[in-house]
Amino acid sequence: MAVPKRRVSKTRRDKRRSSHWKLTLPGVIKCEHCGAARLSHRVCPECGYYNGREVVKADAAEKAEA
């Protein structure tokens, strides 16, 4: 049966575990219609467009922010 020959130091152990705690950046893209930054797969809060068509009226999109 395989047994470690030496004890693993805290530093070596923590270096191995460090990559699991990193945060990922959200998918921010540029809106094709107005050019504003928005999250991918979501309606643009500036113009109300998604996938090339208007989903939410522009004035309703402005009220949703406030």
Side-chain angles (χ1 to χ4, degrees):
M1 190 156 106
V3 178
K5 193 162 200 149
R6 302 220 184 274
R7 182 179 178 174
V8 177
S9 70
K10 294 173 192 169
T11 305
R12 185 175 289 269
R13 178 199 65 200
D14 293 343
K15 279 196 293 188
R16 184 179 64 245
R17 294 178 182 176
S18 68
S19 63
H20 299 289
W21 295 98
K22 292 182 181 174
L23 296 174
T24 57
L25 290 173
V28 178
I29 61 169
K30 190 167 86 170
C31 178
E32 295 86 15
H33 187 258
C34 67
R38 67 174 180 89
L39 292 173
S40 63
H41 303 289
R42 285 168 181 78
V43 177
C44 177
E46 300 295 325
C47 63
Y49 272 70
Y50 178 74
N51 202 15
R53 59 193 170 104
E54 189 175 15
V55 180
V56 181
K57 297 289 183 194
D59 57 340
E62 291 174 6
K63 289 179 185 176
E65 287 180 11

